Amino acid sequence: MNRKMMFLIGFLITTITTQSQTQRIDSAAVYILNKTTESLQYIKSCSFKSIMTYDIFNESLGLVKHSVNEKVSIKFPDKMKITSTGDKGNRSLWYNGKTLYYYSFDNNTYAVTDAPKSVIQTIDDTSKKFGIEFPAADFFYETFLDDLKSEQGTLMYLGKTILDDKECFHIAGKDKNKSFQFWIGNDDNFLPIKMVIVYTNDTNKPQYEAVYKDWVINPDFSDFMFEFSIPPKASKVKLQPREEKK
């Protein structure tokens, strides 16, 4: 399954020699990431903030940093709301178990599309069809660790470190296309705190960084907060399929 963060890494639990490279997998790193996945599979609802920065190449300036801030609220199995602000515009997504609504605050326009019956299926379907990215999406997939093992690469546990006054497990790795790092909270929930990717196969080596903060586990969300109401004078538009985007 080709999802945004799923082209980060690939691992096996033991060290294997192949024709192209030697694969080194640290069992401690696998254990920590597996605890993250298991933890997120058991929760009933959550909210968190995502602060993302990414590089785009400019002919005159080289790599230029851009940023997006997002607030995410999820009620499993079939409710989600995301509000985004930043260089990609100010917008929101509402998903109520049947329909996905996309609203642009900048243009006062909205779009509607039918959606699958679960948050995970909706994330997958919408990403493939429309190229809409969802923060921290891959951590919520039950097959996250299996997907990580499906590629060759290196994954190492580097020890504990402090990030924003929080003790974290620091994990790093690389494959033939990129290097990456994860910071996972050292607490009962093993929640993701930060991720960095460097695309080493690109001559310019652009970076992607995401910080996840203000996690709230199992809040009591009402179904009403996931229903979209058309704002006054808003115009309806059509979501542009991924293949049609420039």
Side-chain angles (χ1 to χ4, degrees):
M1 192 173 290
N2 184 19
R3 300 186 292 271
K4 178 180 184 298
M5 292 194 302
M6 216 39 66
F7 59 85
L8 307 180
I9 15 177
F11 323 122
L12 292 173
I13 292 187
T14 57
T15 300
I16 302 175
T17 301
T18 68
Q19 293 180 351
S20 58
Q21 65 183 51
T22 298
Q23 189 172 25
R24 294 186 59 199
I25 302 301
D26 188 333
S27 59
V30 171
Y31 172 82
I32 293 166
L33 292 178
N34 186 57
K35 293 293 287 185
T36 299
T37 303
E38 288 181 344
S39 176
L40 292 175
Q41 292 301 308
Y42 279 99
I43 65 176
K44 296 180 180 179
S45 61
C46 69
S47 67
F48 62 93
K49 294 178 181 178
S50 173
I51 304 169
M52 296 180 290
T53 58
Y54 55 94
D55 292 332
I56 294 181
F57 181 76
N58 180 284
E59 290 289 346
S60 301
L61 302 173
L63 293 178
V64 176
K65 290 286 184 185
H66 294 263
S67 63
V68 176
N69 290 0
E70 297 188 296
K71 173 66 183 293
V72 181
S73 300
I74 302 175
K75 183 177 181 179
F76 291 100
D78 58 0
K79 303 285 188 295
M80 177 173 59
K81 179 182 178 182
I82 302 174
T83 301
S84 303
T85 59
D87 293 350
K88 292 186 177 181
N90 302 298
R91 55 192 182 174
S92 280
L93 293 170
W94 280 264
Y95 165 65
N96 62 9
K98 298 179 181 179
T99 307
L100 181 74
Y101 296 89
Y102 177 103
Y103 177 68
S104 168
F105 292 95
D106 299 320
N107 302 318
N108 196 25
T109 57
Y110 71 97
V112 184
T113 184
D114 292 336
K117 296 181 179 180
S118 76
V119 167
I120 298 302
Q121 288 176 320
T122 296
I123 289 173
D124 198 47
D125 187 68
T126 306
S127 177
K128 288 179 179 178
K129 286 184 178 179
F130 306 110
I132 297 175
E133 301 169 0
F134 294 83
D138 287 74
F139 291 108
F140 288 94
Y141 281 88
E142 187 175 0
T143 60
F144 177 59
L145 190 54
D146 290 336
D147 291 335
L148 296 181
K149 296 175 188 177
S150 67
E151 301 283 343
Q152 292 184 0
T154 299
L155 180 68
M156 302 297 294
Y157 170 57
L158 302 182
K160 296 178 182 178
T161 188
I162 302 297
L163 186 64
D164 292 334
D165 296 324
K166 184 177 182 64
E167 187 174 74
C168 299
F169 300 113
H170 190 189
I171 297 169
K174 66 177 182 178
D175 61 22
K176 63 182 179 180
N177 295 318
K178 56 206 157 289
S179 64
F180 48 85
Q181 298 180 65
F182 293 130
W183 287 260
I184 304 297
N186 181 14
D187 54 31
D188 292 340
N189 293 309
F190 289 82
L191 298 174
I193 303 299
K194 184 178 178 179
M195 177 180 66
V196 172
I197 310 167
V198 180
Y199 298 100
T200 54
N201 64 328
D202 188 306
T203 303
N204 299 298
K205 294 181 172 54
Q207 297 186 22
Y208 171 89
E209 178 179 308
V211 174
Y212 310 107
K213 58 186 297 185
D214 297 344
W215 283 91
V216 180
I217 300 301
N218 292 331
D220 187 15
F221 290 140
S222 67
D223 289 348
F224 177 76
M225 69 173 286
F226 302 98
E227 297 291 342
F228 175 74
S229 297
I230 300 174
K233 299 183 180 179
S235 300
K236 187 175 182 180
V237 297
K238 183 179 180 181
L239 278 177
Q240 188 177 23
R242 186 172 195 154
E243 59 272 16
E244 294 180 10
K245 293 183 177 181
K246 295 183 180 180

